[in-house]
Amino acid sequence: MTSATYVFSGDRVALIVRGKTSHAHEPDLMQQHADCVLSNGAPVGFFGEGNTGSSGGGSSGSGASSKKSANSSGSSGMGLTGVVYDFAALSRKRAPYVDASIAKGSGVVSTVLFIQVSAAEAKAFDKAWADMAADPGSFQILGWNCSSHASQAFQKAGILAGGIPGLDTPNNIYLQLCTEKAGKVSVASGYVGFSAFGSGYMMMIDTP
Amino acid sequence: MGSKVPALKWEWPAGRPVETKLLVQVRSISKASKGFLGIGASPSFADSLPDATDIVASVVAGPSALVGSTVSLRVPGAEVKSLVQDRFAALGLVSDNTICTCIAEAPTNNLADAQTWLRDKACAR
């Protein structure tokens, strides 16, 4: 296994497709999730709370780590409460996304798409996610999901000009970025982790 | 007679020390349903867990108010690979006993030895 570290110095952001094992791999529809990485290396992602079938009980949301909006319902994946998870919340709720050793133990492989951006784009991207965290709105598995929100942030930052071609899926926004930002992207796949570094985070990827 | 403990939620520890430890006897282990068309397993749902596995267990040692209770929780499959039905295990709880951050198989099926293990070694971080 090889290991590589990546520092974010304000000139790049990233899209992470969970469940995507390589650039060429196309994960099943319900096996993929999209997170992003801010210009300081901080991981962030949009999720839906309130789907039935969970074991229920005990809320872990607290402070600034995870903010949510009202209205949640049903097992259909529609009309759920939207919530943005930062590193602290991901560490509790989705540790395989931020701890490479836990990712390896859980078999959670991710593909990271690094995107070179200008300082203005980076600032706008970070702000888009901060605005989303403050008021996440609802989550709909069809059309207003993790990839939809990632797309919103990329569009508000001027990194992408329009919405996701076809269905809003993590892999589709991945392909869109690869096409529209050709020459400004690079890819790495493996077990992804983050650690505090400077005023942000450093990413580590262990390649199986 | 113990009452049914409110359903526990699983979270990873994220540096939080265990507040309460329970010794349980595992009653059932089963893969969680993925719902219609697998929608329930989407990793974009906050409550989804990798290789989600449902555990039901009886509390045999711990805070007196909980002994005799039945607990149920959904955990990542990687956390319960070595768990065996009818054997003892430890649960480590935080947040007023609502969140489980540790589940570990006891090294013995002797109740007294398992209680000692629970007190001295189980879910220690």
Side-chain angles (χ1 to χ4, degrees), chain A residues 80-132:
Chain A
L80 301 184
T81 301
V83 61
V84 174
Y85 286 164
D86 61 6
F87 175 81
L90 288 167
S91 296
R92 298 191 306 271
K93 300 284 285 185
R94 212 48 70 85
Y97 288 3
V98 294
D99 185 311
S101 62
I102 296 178
K104 182 183 176 187
S106 303
V108 176
V109 179
S110 306
T111 291
V112 182
L113 185 70
F114 300 93
I115 305 119
Q116 293 174 32
V117 297
S118 68
E121 290 171 334
K123 185 177 178 181
F125 186 76
D126 294 350
K127 182 179 186 302
W129 273 104
D131 290 346
M132 210 184 306

Short mmCIF file of all heavy atoms in Angstrom, two decimals, chain A residues 80-132:
data_model
loop_
_atom_site.label_atom_id
_atom_site.label_comp_id
_atom_site.label_asym_id
_atom_site.label_seq_id
_atom_site.Cartn_x
_atom_site.Cartn_y
_atom_site.Cartn_z
N LEU A 80 -36.51 15.08 3.39
CA LEU A 80 -35.74 14.89 4.61
C LEU A 80 -35.13 16.22 5.06
O LEU A 80 -35.13 17.21 4.34
CB LEU A 80 -34.62 13.88 4.39
CG LEU A 80 -35.03 12.47 3.94
CD1 LEU A 80 -33.82 11.57 3.86
CD2 LEU A 80 -36.07 11.87 4.86
N THR A 81 -34.62 16.20 6.28
CA THR A 81 -33.92 17.37 6.81
C THR A 81 -32.51 17.41 6.23
O THR A 81 -31.76 16.44 6.36
CB THR A 81 -33.82 17.28 8.34
OG1 THR A 81 -35.13 17.20 8.88
CG2 THR A 81 -33.09 18.47 8.91
N GLY A 82 -32.15 18.52 5.61
CA GLY A 82 -30.79 18.64 5.12
C GLY A 82 -29.84 18.99 6.25
O GLY A 82 -30.21 19.65 7.21
N VAL A 83 -28.61 18.50 6.15
CA VAL A 83 -27.61 18.80 7.17
C VAL A 83 -26.23 18.80 6.52
O VAL A 83 -25.95 17.98 5.64
CB VAL A 83 -27.69 17.79 8.34
CG1 VAL A 83 -27.41 16.37 7.87
CG2 VAL A 83 -26.76 18.18 9.47
N VAL A 84 -25.42 19.75 6.91
CA VAL A 84 -24.04 19.81 6.42
C VAL A 84 -23.12 19.32 7.52
O VAL A 84 -23.18 19.81 8.65
CB VAL A 84 -23.66 21.25 6.01
CG1 VAL A 84 -22.17 21.33 5.65
CG2 VAL A 84 -24.52 21.69 4.82
N TYR A 85 -22.28 18.37 7.19
CA TYR A 85 -21.32 17.85 8.14
C TYR A 85 -19.94 18.40 7.84
O TYR A 85 -19.47 18.34 6.70
CB TYR A 85 -21.24 16.32 8.07
CG TYR A 85 -22.41 15.58 8.67
CD1 TYR A 85 -22.63 14.24 8.37
CD2 TYR A 85 -23.30 16.20 9.54
CE1 TYR A 85 -23.70 13.53 8.92
CE2 TYR A 85 -24.36 15.51 10.09
CZ TYR A 85 -24.56 14.18 9.78
OH TYR A 85 -25.61 13.49 10.33
N ASP A 86 -19.29 18.92 8.89
CA ASP A 86 -17.89 19.33 8.76
C ASP A 86 -17.01 18.22 9.32
O ASP A 86 -17.50 17.11 9.58
CB ASP A 86 -17.65 20.66 9.47
CG ASP A 86 -17.95 20.59 10.97
OD1 ASP A 86 -18.22 19.49 11.49
OD2 ASP A 86 -17.91 21.65 11.62
N PHE A 87 -15.72 18.49 9.51
CA PHE A 87 -14.81 17.43 9.94
C PHE A 87 -15.25 16.82 11.26
O PHE A 87 -15.22 15.60 11.44
CB PHE A 87 -13.38 18.00 10.08
CG PHE A 87 -12.39 17.02 10.64
CD1 PHE A 87 -11.80 16.06 9.83
CD2 PHE A 87 -12.06 17.03 11.99
CE1 PHE A 87 -10.90 15.14 10.33
CE2 PHE A 87 -11.15 16.11 12.52
CZ PHE A 87 -10.58 15.16 11.68
N ALA A 88 -15.65 17.66 12.21
CA ALA A 88 -16.03 17.14 13.53
C ALA A 88 -17.24 16.21 13.42
O ALA A 88 -17.26 15.13 14.02
CB ALA A 88 -16.32 18.29 14.48
N ALA A 89 -18.23 16.65 12.67
CA ALA A 89 -19.44 15.83 12.52
C ALA A 89 -19.14 14.56 11.71
O ALA A 89 -19.63 13.48 12.03
CB ALA A 89 -20.54 16.63 11.85
N LEU A 90 -18.32 14.69 10.68
CA LEU A 90 -17.94 13.51 9.90
C LEU A 90 -17.17 12.51 10.78
O LEU A 90 -17.33 11.30 10.63
CB LEU A 90 -17.09 13.92 8.69
CG LEU A 90 -17.85 14.63 7.55
CD1 LEU A 90 -16.85 15.26 6.57
CD2 LEU A 90 -18.77 13.67 6.81
N SER A 91 -16.37 13.01 11.67
CA SER A 91 -15.60 12.12 12.55
C SER A 91 -16.51 11.27 13.42
O SER A 91 -16.18 10.13 13.75
CB SER A 91 -14.68 12.94 13.46
OG SER A 91 -13.71 13.62 12.70
N ARG A 92 -17.65 11.83 13.77
CA ARG A 92 -18.59 11.07 14.61
C ARG A 92 -19.54 10.22 13.78
O ARG A 92 -19.82 9.06 14.10
CB ARG A 92 -19.44 12.03 15.46
CG ARG A 92 -18.65 12.87 16.44
CD ARG A 92 -19.59 13.57 17.42
NE ARG A 92 -20.62 14.34 16.75
CZ ARG A 92 -20.50 15.61 16.40
NH1 ARG A 92 -19.37 16.25 16.64
NH2 ARG A 92 -21.49 16.25 15.81
N LYS A 93 -20.04 10.81 12.69
CA LYS A 93 -21.12 10.17 11.94
C LYS A 93 -20.62 9.34 10.76
O LYS A 93 -21.31 8.44 10.30
CB LYS A 93 -22.07 11.24 11.41
CG LYS A 93 -22.71 12.09 12.49
CD LYS A 93 -23.82 11.36 13.22
CE LYS A 93 -25.06 11.29 12.36
NZ LYS A 93 -26.20 10.67 13.09
N ARG A 94 -19.46 9.64 10.25
CA ARG A 94 -18.98 9.00 9.02
C ARG A 94 -17.45 8.92 9.05
O ARG A 94 -16.76 9.37 8.15
CB ARG A 94 -19.49 9.82 7.84
CG ARG A 94 -19.78 9.04 6.54
CD ARG A 94 -20.61 7.79 6.71
NE ARG A 94 -22.01 8.09 7.07
CZ ARG A 94 -22.96 8.36 6.18
NH1 ARG A 94 -22.69 8.36 4.90
NH2 ARG A 94 -24.18 8.61 6.58
N ALA A 95 -16.94 8.33 10.11
CA ALA A 95 -15.48 8.28 10.28
C ALA A 95 -14.72 7.66 9.10
O ALA A 95 -13.59 8.06 8.84
CB ALA A 95 -15.14 7.54 11.58
N PRO A 96 -15.28 6.68 8.38
CA PRO A 96 -14.54 6.15 7.21
C PRO A 96 -14.30 7.21 6.14
O PRO A 96 -13.51 6.96 5.22
CB PRO A 96 -15.48 5.06 6.67
CG PRO A 96 -16.31 4.65 7.83
CD PRO A 96 -16.52 5.91 8.62
N TYR A 97 -14.93 8.38 6.26
CA TYR A 97 -14.71 9.43 5.27
C TYR A 97 -13.56 10.35 5.65
O TYR A 97 -13.08 11.12 4.81
CB TYR A 97 -15.98 10.27 5.10
CG TYR A 97 -17.13 9.59 4.39
CD1 TYR A 97 -17.05 8.26 3.98
CD2 TYR A 97 -18.31 10.28 4.13
CE1 TYR A 97 -18.10 7.64 3.32
CE2 TYR A 97 -19.37 9.67 3.47
CZ TYR A 97 -19.27 8.36 3.07
OH TYR A 97 -20.31 7.74 2.43
N VAL A 98 -13.14 10.29 6.90
CA VAL A 98 -12.09 11.22 7.34
C VAL A 98 -10.92 10.54 8.03
O VAL A 98 -9.94 11.21 8.39
CB VAL A 98 -12.67 12.32 8.27
CG1 VAL A 98 -13.62 13.23 7.51
CG2 VAL A 98 -13.36 11.71 9.48
N ASP A 99 -11.01 9.23 8.23
CA ASP A 99 -9.95 8.47 8.88
C ASP A 99 -9.58 7.30 7.96
O ASP A 99 -10.38 6.39 7.75
CB ASP A 99 -10.44 7.97 10.23
CG ASP A 99 -9.35 7.26 11.03
OD1 ASP A 99 -8.66 6.38 10.47
OD2 ASP A 99 -9.17 7.60 12.21
N ALA A 100 -8.37 7.35 7.43
CA ALA A 100 -7.99 6.35 6.42
C ALA A 100 -7.95 4.94 6.99
O ALA A 100 -8.29 3.98 6.29
CB ALA A 100 -6.63 6.72 5.83
N SER A 101 -7.56 4.79 8.24
CA SER A 101 -7.49 3.43 8.81
C SER A 101 -8.89 2.86 9.01
O SER A 101 -9.14 1.67 8.77
CB SER A 101 -6.71 3.43 10.11
OG SER A 101 -7.34 4.24 11.07
N ILE A 102 -9.82 3.71 9.43
CA ILE A 102 -11.21 3.26 9.56
C ILE A 102 -11.80 2.98 8.18
O ILE A 102 -12.57 2.03 8.00
CB ILE A 102 -12.06 4.28 10.34
CG1 ILE A 102 -11.55 4.41 11.78
CG2 ILE A 102 -13.53 3.89 10.33
CD1 ILE A 102 -12.29 5.43 12.64
N ALA A 103 -11.45 3.80 7.22
CA ALA A 103 -11.91 3.56 5.85
C ALA A 103 -11.44 2.20 5.36
O ALA A 103 -12.20 1.44 4.76
CB ALA A 103 -11.40 4.66 4.92
N LYS A 104 -10.18 1.88 5.65
CA LYS A 104 -9.65 0.59 5.22
C LYS A 104 -10.39 -0.54 5.91
O LYS A 104 -10.79 -1.53 5.29
CB LYS A 104 -8.15 0.51 5.52
CG LYS A 104 -7.51 -0.79 5.05
CD LYS A 104 -6.04 -0.86 5.43
CE LYS A 104 -5.47 -2.22 5.02
NZ LYS A 104 -4.09 -2.39 5.53
N GLY A 105 -10.60 -0.42 7.21
CA GLY A 105 -11.31 -1.46 7.96
C GLY A 105 -12.74 -1.64 7.50
O GLY A 105 -13.30 -2.73 7.59
N SER A 106 -13.33 -0.56 7.01
CA SER A 106 -14.73 -0.59 6.57
C SER A 106 -14.85 -0.86 5.09
O SER A 106 -15.97 -0.99 4.58
CB SER A 106 -15.41 0.75 6.90
OG SER A 106 -15.33 1.04 8.28
N GLY A 107 -13.74 -0.88 4.38
CA GLY A 107 -13.79 -1.10 2.93
C GLY A 107 -14.35 0.08 2.16
O GLY A 107 -14.91 -0.11 1.08
N VAL A 108 -14.22 1.28 2.71
CA VAL A 108 -14.76 2.47 2.04
C VAL A 108 -13.66 3.13 1.22
O VAL A 108 -12.76 3.78 1.76
CB VAL A 108 -15.34 3.46 3.07
CG1 VAL A 108 -15.82 4.73 2.36
CG2 VAL A 108 -16.50 2.81 3.84
N VAL A 109 -13.75 2.96 -0.08
CA VAL A 109 -12.79 3.57 -1.01
C VAL A 109 -13.42 4.81 -1.63
O VAL A 109 -14.62 4.83 -1.92
CB VAL A 109 -12.39 2.57 -2.11
CG1 VAL A 109 -11.40 3.22 -3.08
CG2 VAL A 109 -11.78 1.32 -1.49
N SER A 110 -12.62 5.84 -1.82
CA SER A 110 -13.11 7.08 -2.40
C SER A 110 -12.20 7.50 -3.54
O SER A 110 -11.01 7.15 -3.56
CB SER A 110 -13.14 8.20 -1.36
OG SER A 110 -13.87 7.84 -0.21
N THR A 111 -12.73 8.26 -4.45
CA THR A 111 -11.93 8.90 -5.50
C THR A 111 -12.01 10.40 -5.32
O THR A 111 -13.11 10.96 -5.22
CB THR A 111 -12.39 8.48 -6.90
OG1 THR A 111 -12.07 7.10 -7.09
CG2 THR A 111 -11.70 9.30 -7.98
N VAL A 112 -10.86 11.03 -5.26
CA VAL A 112 -10.77 12.46 -5.03
C VAL A 112 -10.40 13.15 -6.34
O VAL A 112 -9.43 12.75 -7.00
CB VAL A 112 -9.71 12.80 -3.97
CG1 VAL A 112 -9.67 14.30 -3.70
CG2 VAL A 112 -9.97 12.03 -2.68
N LEU A 113 -11.16 14.15 -6.71
CA LEU A 113 -10.88 14.97 -7.89
C LEU A 113 -10.43 16.34 -7.41
O LEU A 113 -11.22 17.09 -6.83
CB LEU A 113 -12.12 15.10 -8.77
CG LEU A 113 -11.93 15.83 -10.09
CD1 LEU A 113 -11.08 15.00 -11.04
CD2 LEU A 113 -13.29 16.13 -10.75
N PHE A 114 -9.16 16.63 -7.60
CA PHE A 114 -8.61 17.93 -7.20
C PHE A 114 -8.83 18.91 -8.35
O PHE A 114 -8.56 18.59 -9.50
CB PHE A 114 -7.11 17.82 -6.92
CG PHE A 114 -6.77 16.86 -5.81
CD1 PHE A 114 -6.46 15.54 -6.11
CD2 PHE A 114 -6.72 17.28 -4.49
CE1 PHE A 114 -6.13 14.64 -5.08
CE2 PHE A 114 -6.39 16.40 -3.47
CZ PHE A 114 -6.09 15.07 -3.77
N ILE A 115 -9.29 20.11 -8.01
CA ILE A 115 -9.57 21.11 -9.03
C ILE A 115 -8.77 22.39 -8.71
O ILE A 115 -8.94 22.96 -7.62
CB ILE A 115 -11.07 21.44 -9.09
CG1 ILE A 115 -11.90 20.17 -9.31
CG2 ILE A 115 -11.37 22.46 -10.21
CD1 ILE A 115 -12.86 19.88 -8.20
N GLN A 116 -7.93 22.82 -9.63
CA GLN A 116 -7.21 24.08 -9.46
C GLN A 116 -8.20 25.23 -9.60
O GLN A 116 -9.01 25.25 -10.53
CB GLN A 116 -6.11 24.24 -10.52
CG GLN A 116 -4.97 23.26 -10.42
CD GLN A 116 -4.02 23.40 -11.59
OE1 GLN A 116 -3.83 24.50 -12.13
NE2 GLN A 116 -3.43 22.30 -12.03
N VAL A 117 -8.12 26.18 -8.68
CA VAL A 117 -9.04 27.32 -8.72
C VAL A 117 -8.27 28.60 -8.43
O VAL A 117 -7.18 28.57 -7.87
CB VAL A 117 -10.20 27.15 -7.71
CG1 VAL A 117 -11.06 25.95 -8.05
CG2 VAL A 117 -9.67 27.03 -6.28
N SER A 118 -8.89 29.72 -8.78
CA SER A 118 -8.31 31.02 -8.44
C SER A 118 -8.65 31.34 -6.99
O SER A 118 -9.49 30.70 -6.37
CB SER A 118 -8.90 32.09 -9.35
OG SER A 118 -10.28 32.28 -9.04
N ALA A 119 -8.00 32.36 -6.46
CA ALA A 119 -8.27 32.76 -5.08
C ALA A 119 -9.72 33.19 -4.92
O ALA A 119 -10.38 32.89 -3.92
CB ALA A 119 -7.32 33.90 -4.67
N ALA A 120 -10.24 33.88 -5.93
CA ALA A 120 -11.63 34.33 -5.86
C ALA A 120 -12.59 33.16 -5.91
O ALA A 120 -13.60 33.12 -5.18
CB ALA A 120 -11.92 35.30 -7.02
N GLU A 121 -12.29 32.19 -6.76
CA GLU A 121 -13.15 30.99 -6.82
C GLU A 121 -13.10 30.21 -5.51
O GLU A 121 -14.12 29.73 -5.02
CB GLU A 121 -12.71 30.09 -7.99
CG GLU A 121 -13.02 30.66 -9.36
CD GLU A 121 -12.37 29.86 -10.49
OE1 GLU A 121 -11.33 29.20 -10.25
OE2 GLU A 121 -12.90 29.91 -11.63
N ALA A 122 -11.91 30.11 -4.95
CA ALA A 122 -11.77 29.39 -3.68
C ALA A 122 -12.58 30.07 -2.58
O ALA A 122 -13.30 29.40 -1.82
CB ALA A 122 -10.30 29.33 -3.27
N LYS A 123 -12.49 31.38 -2.53
CA LYS A 123 -13.22 32.13 -1.50
C LYS A 123 -14.72 31.96 -1.67
O LYS A 123 -15.47 31.75 -0.70
CB LYS A 123 -12.83 33.61 -1.58
CG LYS A 123 -13.43 34.47 -0.49
CD LYS A 123 -12.93 35.92 -0.60
CE LYS A 123 -13.57 36.80 0.47
NZ LYS A 123 -13.12 38.21 0.37
N ALA A 124 -15.17 32.02 -2.91
CA ALA A 124 -16.61 31.89 -3.18
C ALA A 124 -17.10 30.48 -2.91
O ALA A 124 -18.22 30.27 -2.43
CB ALA A 124 -16.89 32.28 -4.63
N PHE A 125 -16.27 29.49 -3.20
CA PHE A 125 -16.63 28.09 -2.93
C PHE A 125 -16.79 27.85 -1.44
O PHE A 125 -17.76 27.26 -0.98
CB PHE A 125 -15.55 27.18 -3.52
CG PHE A 125 -15.86 25.71 -3.44
CD1 PHE A 125 -16.77 25.12 -4.31
CD2 PHE A 125 -15.22 24.88 -2.52
CE1 PHE A 125 -17.04 23.75 -4.27
CE2 PHE A 125 -15.49 23.52 -2.46
CZ PHE A 125 -16.39 22.95 -3.33
N ASP A 126 -15.82 28.36 -0.68
CA ASP A 126 -15.88 28.20 0.77
C ASP A 126 -17.12 28.89 1.33
O ASP A 126 -17.80 28.37 2.23
CB ASP A 126 -14.62 28.77 1.42
CG ASP A 126 -13.35 28.01 1.05
OD1 ASP A 126 -13.46 26.93 0.44
OD2 ASP A 126 -12.25 28.51 1.37
N LYS A 127 -17.42 30.08 0.81
CA LYS A 127 -18.58 30.83 1.28
C LYS A 127 -19.88 30.09 0.95
O LYS A 127 -20.82 30.07 1.76
CB LYS A 127 -18.61 32.23 0.68
CG LYS A 127 -19.80 33.06 1.19
CD LYS A 127 -19.83 34.45 0.62
CE LYS A 127 -20.95 35.30 1.28
NZ LYS A 127 -22.28 34.69 1.13
N ALA A 128 -19.94 29.50 -0.23
CA ALA A 128 -21.14 28.76 -0.62
C ALA A 128 -21.42 27.64 0.37
O ALA A 128 -22.57 27.41 0.77
CB ALA A 128 -20.98 28.19 -2.03
N TRP A 129 -20.38 26.94 0.78
CA TRP A 129 -20.58 25.86 1.75
C TRP A 129 -20.91 26.41 3.13
O TRP A 129 -21.73 25.84 3.85
CB TRP A 129 -19.33 24.96 1.82
CG TRP A 129 -19.39 23.88 0.78
CD1 TRP A 129 -18.70 23.81 -0.39
CD2 TRP A 129 -20.22 22.70 0.82
NE1 TRP A 129 -19.06 22.66 -1.08
CE2 TRP A 129 -19.98 21.97 -0.36
CE3 TRP A 129 -21.14 22.19 1.74
CZ2 TRP A 129 -20.62 20.76 -0.65
CZ3 TRP A 129 -21.78 21.00 1.46
CH2 TRP A 129 -21.52 20.29 0.27
N ALA A 130 -20.32 27.53 3.51
CA ALA A 130 -20.64 28.13 4.80
C ALA A 130 -22.11 28.56 4.83
O ALA A 130 -22.82 28.36 5.82
CB ALA A 130 -19.73 29.32 5.06
N ASP A 131 -22.59 29.13 3.72
CA ASP A 131 -23.99 29.55 3.62
C ASP A 131 -24.91 28.33 3.70
O ASP A 131 -25.96 28.35 4.34
CB ASP A 131 -24.24 30.30 2.31
CG ASP A 131 -23.57 31.66 2.28
OD1 ASP A 131 -23.15 32.14 3.36
OD2 ASP A 131 -23.44 32.24 1.19
N MET A 132 -24.49 27.25 3.06
CA MET A 132 -25.29 26.03 3.07
C MET A 132 -25.34 25.44 4.48
O MET A 132 -26.36 24.93 4.92
CB MET A 132 -24.65 25.03 2.10
CG MET A 132 -25.61 24.08 1.45
SD MET A 132 -24.72 22.88 0.42
CE MET A 132 -23.75 23.92 -0.65
#
